[in-house]
Amino acid sequence: MNIYLKRGKDESLKRFHPWIYSGAIQRIEDQAGEGALARVFTSDGDYIATGHWQIGTIAVRVLTFDDEPIDDVFWCHRLQVALDMRRAIGVADRTDNNTYRLVHGEGDNLPGLVIDVYGQTAVMQAHSVGMHCSRQQIAEAMRVVMGDRINNIYYKSETTLPFKAGLGQENTFLLGDAVDNIAVENGLRFHIDWLRGQKTGFFVDQRDNRSLLEHYAPGRDVLNMFCYTGGFSVYAMRGGARCVHSVDSSGKAVDLASANVSMNFPDDDRHQAIAEDAFRYLQQMEEGQYDLIILDPPAFAKHKDALRNALKGYTRLNAATFAKIRPGGVLFTFSCSQAVSKDQFRMAVFTAAAMSGRKVSILHQLHQPADHPINIYHPEGEYLKGLVLYVE
Ligand code: SAH
């Protein structure tokens, strides 16, 4: 199918922004079903891009600005570029780290596709109908490019595809059938449950921030709030924390955190996992009980309209923490909401600090790691932000 844009609506594409909004489209020729490849032309009829077509605000996600076929050669090339980048970053092909994001959507010029690697297994998520339709081709290209690095590909898109497209998609293996695996991140081991876990089974995006936390851990009493798999807890244990408490409202998460801590530190009674709501726990805990606290909540704003409430949520959460953290304490506080900008998050935390009246200094400004790259033409890809704060 061919798509012709309205006059003047090709400006962002000339700057390589990878999305075409439905409002920019003048007319469609030979319309095909959702997920089909569309060749896109300016109002003057000049070719400008090829991408996946989908019904919705974002009508086309651009795969290439070159006039090239989207075939096996294309998929292999894009995946090879992605793998080469991970090797350059130093996360792939290491013995003490086999956990990394291989494909990060727009950041790897593959809008709508996420692939995380855990040891011998790749977990693939499609966020667009086009990537869903291309899944077998992508799996085949993965086999070629990754070779014997992987022997399982689990396709997990039940909750990430647009419901309205009616694809009735079930999670399934495209290669192999391993149901459990132990991934290694910076020498620490984690059970990854891609069948039942959140997202692709683990939050790979906190790797560097967990390493930084390890550095602050010696001798501290640590609270890992919203612990999920206990990633930060395991690093805090290795860093020499005096005690580590992992809290999550989900019983399953708390069990997983306990299992991961005991796998790395068997019979170590410094760790305790508690199933409790974050706000209730913060309210009930003793003042000064902890001097290293991590707040890594789920995205409070999934869309722009939820922004105001999300900012209030961040302020409330951080204010409750500032009220209780021990003097001389260090707070790692995060937001993974794409709709919340770095400045807005900082303002929400600033408001919380001011409410507590305590002296607070910013030690580090954190973001997503290099294997979650941001396409320079698509600044929307920056989603994870964090602050490390010293509280007097
Ligand atoms: N820090 C984790 C990722 C956190 S994901 C890591 O490094 O991997 C967010 C977690 O917050 C989920 O496990 C979810 O169960 C938990 N959660 C959501 N709402 C909560 C609440 N009100 N209180 C406590 N935990 C909550």
Side-chain angles (χ1 to χ4, degrees):
M1 65 189 274
N2 297 326
I3 290 181
Y4 291 84
L5 300 180
K6 291 178 184 162
R7 190 160 295 283
K9 290 292 185 187
D10 49 18
E11 283 308 314
S12 64
L13 286 173
K14 287 182 179 157
R15 293 190 304 270
F16 307 115
H17 192 280
W19 294 346
I20 298 172
Y21 292 101
S22 54
I25 296 174
Q26 175 72 48
R27 67 189 170 88
I28 299 178
E29 236 175 48
D30 306 326
Q31 177 149 3
E34 272 195 282
L37 286 170
R39 284 165 58 77
V40 184
F41 298 87
T42 65
S43 54
D44 294 330
D46 295 328
Y47 171 85
I48 191 159
T50 301
H52 282 142
W53 152 254
Q54 185 168 319
I55 295 167
T57 321
I58 304 171
V60 179
R61 287 168 173 80
V62 173
L63 294 167
T64 181
F65 292 97
D66 297 326
D67 199 353
E68 61 178 328
I70 306 301
D71 54 11
D72 296 347
V73 174
F74 169 86
W75 293 112
C76 283
H77 175 67
R78 279 292 153 87
L79 291 177
Q80 187 64 53
V81 170
L83 177 61
D84 290 347
M85 190 198 289
R86 273 53 183 191
R87 291 168 68 184
I89 294 164
V91 289
D93 294 348
R94 269 170 53 186
T95 48
D96 65 337
N97 191 85
N98 63 18
T99 305
Y100 57 94
R101 178 154 292 191
L102 176 68
V103 174
H104 185 61
E106 286 80 359
D108 286 291
N109 294 300
L110 290 168
L113 182 66
V114 164
I115 302 176
D116 286 337
V117 174
Y118 302 114
Q120 297 275 291
T121 300
V123 183
M124 180 169 142
Q125 260 185 348
H127 292 255
S128 71
V129 183
M131 286 299 181
H132 171 72
C133 297
S134 311
R135 64 195 183 284
Q136 297 292 356
Q137 255 182 313
I138 299 169
E140 185 49 36
M142 282 284 285
R143 254 170 31 86
V144 173
V145 171
M146 297 297 279
D148 57 11
R149 286 184 186 86
I150 57 163
N151 49 28
N152 302 287
I153 301 176
Y154 187 57
Y155 182 63
K156 191 178 185 190
S157 301
E158 221 167 55
T159 57
T160 55
L161 285 165
F163 175 71
K164 282 192 207 139
L167 302 168
Q169 178 52 40
E170 282 179 11
N171 296 336
T172 172
F173 282 94
L174 301 178
L175 176 72
D177 58 7
V179 293
D180 191 19
N181 205 344
I182 292 183
V184 183
E185 188 186 84
N186 288 326
L188 293 165
R189 300 192 306 143
F190 293 92
H191 291 286
I192 311 290
D193 183 353
W194 42 84
L195 296 191
R196 288 168 299 269
Q198 298 177 44
K199 304 273 169 89
T200 65
F202 192 63
F203 285 79
V204 195
D205 57 0
Q206 290 287 24
R207 184 195 320 104
D208 293 353
N209 302 331
R210 290 179 189 130
S211 280
L212 183 66
L213 179 97
E214 181 173 356
H215 167 82
Y216 280 96
R220 294 210 181 243
D221 295 318
V222 181
L223 170 62
N224 180 10
M225 184 55 81
F226 308 98
C227 67
Y228 186 35
T229 56
F232 283 101
S233 305
V234 177
Y235 280 72
M237 295 287 286
R238 185 168 71 178
R242 191 161 64 171
C243 82
V244 180
H245 291 168
S246 304
V247 178
D248 199 292
S249 57
S250 145
K252 273 195 206 138
V254 162
D255 291 345
L256 197 54
S258 293
N260 283 330
V261 172
S262 6
M263 179 161 62
N264 291 278
F265 302 95
D267 306 319
D268 192 326
D269 60 8
R270 290 177 298 153
H271 182 252
Q272 208 181 314
I274 303 141
E276 179 62 282
D277 171 72
F279 288 96
R280 198 163 325 144
Y281 190 86
L282 290 169
Q283 203 170 36
Q284 288 171 358
M285 75 190 196
E286 281 168 40
E287 224 174 290
Q289 191 177 344
Y290 302 104
D291 60 352
L292 181 54
I293 300 183
I294 302 113
L295 297 175
D296 184 23
F300 283 171
K302 295 235 161 65
H303 305 285
K304 281 266 179 241
D305 4 336
L307 186 62
R308 259 168 63 92
N309 278 340
L311 293 175
K312 276 194 202 152
Y314 288 119
T315 298
R316 210 156 71 84
L317 181 66
N318 283 279
T321 309
F322 283 128
K324 296 276 178 81
I325 192 168
R326 190 183 306 158
V330 174
L331 170 63
F332 278 60
T333 183
F334 295 96
S335 162
C336 61
S337 307
Q338 193 154 343
V340 174
S341 74
K342 198 162 55 183
D343 290 341
Q344 284 166 326
F345 177 60
R346 191 159 154 176
M347 183 58 85
V349 177
F350 159 87
T351 307
M355 283 162 71
S356 74
R358 297 184 68 173
K359 291 197 176 63
V360 177
S361 310
I362 299 176
L363 305 180
H364 305 270
Q365 305 193 47
L366 306 180
H367 37 81
Q368 64 217 58
D371 57 345
H372 294 56
I374 301 159
N375 180 338
I376 201 162
Y377 307 112
H378 179 259
E380 297 93 324
E382 186 172 1
Y383 72 99
L384 181 65
K385 48 243 146 221
L387 295 168
V388 181
L389 304 166
Y390 188 82
V391 187
E392 283 185 32

